Amino acid sequence: MDYAVVFIFGAVIGSFLSVCIYRIPLGRSIVRPRSFCPVCKHPIRWFDNVPLVSFLLLGGRCRHCGEKISLRYFFVELLTAVSGTVLLFYSSDYAGFLIYWFFTCILIVVAFIDIERRLIPDIFSIPGIFAGLVLSAFFSTGSAVFSAAALKDSLIGVLAGGGSMYLMGVLGEMAFKEKAKKAGGAVGGGDVKLMAMIGAFMGWKLALVTFFLAPVLGAAAGLYVLLKRKQDIIPYGPFLALGAFISLLYGDNILSFLFGF
Ligand SMILES: [Zn+2]
């Protein structure tokens, strides 16, 4: 029962995240106007705006002009619903579940904005760093008790996450001078701030697992993009986000496998 509620609620949240992904980089309000078809501008009625279901019933097309609706809408709704369900399964307490689902929602928005626009807006990562610090400090034990140790772990996480990414950028620029100049830096400042936020929510150990996991995930996708589309610049945010989610679920297992703690 819990899982079904989280799944349905997740699809609804996902539908809102899609609006954020589309409108926030354009500087538009996320509450007004109501959703409309980006092609024919026809407002979308509530029965055509039911998460997951409407997309399937309409066959992924606008009811009015028949133009294709981006698969991204369906995918973000599904991803938000599934990630919530999976996190609930792995969580030992509700506070942790809610915090990490909230964190995952930010990751989803950031990843898709980065895919579509090659940028990670500060409006997510900077407040995200503070949210991560505060939530970690007060809810790490599952109940609302301040923990200095958790705050310290989260603070070191910000430094380790952001620092490792920054260092990678410096080294990358030294190694690929010409290419990096063309792309405006090997590592974007957005990636540094995103990793700092990941560190704030997950602590320094899992932030470092994320840091090492992301290039492994990115390499496979990068190879595909390089061969298929003859492009050699790919957004890195989605791999940091995916790496963070995997570390959230399996980071401790990965660490104990590697180092035995
Ligand atoms: Zn339309």
Side-chain angles (χ1 to χ4, degrees):
M1 183 59 201
D2 275 355
Y3 291 108
V5 171
V6 166
F7 189 90
I8 293 166
F9 193 53
V12 176
I13 296 173
S15 166
F16 171 69
L17 297 185
S18 269
V19 173
C20 296
I21 291 164
Y22 178 66
R23 293 190 187 177
I24 286 178
L26 299 174
R28 293 195 198 152
S29 161
I30 49 172
V31 275
R32 274 162 205 278
R34 301 258 329 259
S35 295
F36 56 86
C37 168
V39 178
C40 69
K41 313 288 179 205
H42 202 288
I44 298 168
R45 305 283 300 276
W46 66 266
F47 51 81
D48 283 341
N49 210 5
V50 180
L52 295 174
V53 181
S54 290
F55 189 91
L56 294 175
L57 288 180
L58 292 168
R61 287 176 184 279
C62 170
R63 182 187 286 279
H64 303 282
C65 66
E67 200 60 44
K68 270 192 176 168
I69 303 166
S70 168
L71 191 62
R72 191 248 288 153
Y73 289 93
F74 182 79
F75 195 57
V76 168
E77 286 160 7
L78 188 65
L79 209 56
T80 313
V82 169
S83 64
T85 315
V86 170
L87 281 172
L88 183 65
F89 177 77
Y90 280 95
S91 296
S92 50
D93 59 85
Y94 276 107
F97 161 68
L98 289 175
I99 290 170
Y100 286 125
W101 201 16
F102 171 64
F103 170 59
T104 304
C105 287
I106 303 177
L107 292 178
I108 291 173
V109 172
V110 163
F112 279 88
I113 290 178
D114 200 14
I115 289 172
E116 289 182 1
R117 302 184 190 269
R118 305 283 154 81
L119 63 91
I120 298 172
D122 286 348
I123 194 161
F124 296 103
S125 21
I126 304 285
I129 292 171
F130 289 100
L133 286 170
V134 171
L135 292 172
S136 303
F138 284 96
F139 294 99
S140 60
T141 52
S143 47
V145 183
F146 175 75
S147 156
L151 178 61
K152 193 175 145 200
D153 187 36
S154 178
L155 269 172
I156 299 173
V158 173
L159 297 176
S164 57
M165 207 63 213
Y166 180 75
L167 199 66
M168 189 170 114
V170 172
L171 293 175
E173 245 154 78
M174 280 159 63
F176 308 100
K177 251 185 194 142
E178 284 311 305
K179 221 170 233 179
K181 223 180 270 165
K182 254 193 282 172
V187 169
D191 295 322
V192 173
K193 284 170 248 176
L194 175 61
M195 265 305 289
M197 182 191 89
I198 289 171
F201 273 95
M202 300 176 54
W204 68 270
K205 278 184 207 154
L206 294 184
L208 290 181
V209 174
T210 305
F211 176 76
F212 287 107
L213 213 51
V216 179
L217 300 166
L223 208 60
Y224 173 82
V225 173
L226 194 66
L227 295 175
K228 285 278 175 189
R229 297 209 229 155
K230 311 274 181 235
Q231 259 179 298
D232 53 3
I233 302 164
I234 53 164
Y236 200 53
F239 303 108
L240 291 175
L242 183 61
F245 191 71
I246 295 174
S247 315
L248 208 52
L249 303 179
Y250 302 112
D252 290 327
N253 303 50
I254 295 172
L255 283 173
S256 62
F257 175 76
L258 291 176
F259 304 108
F261 58 66

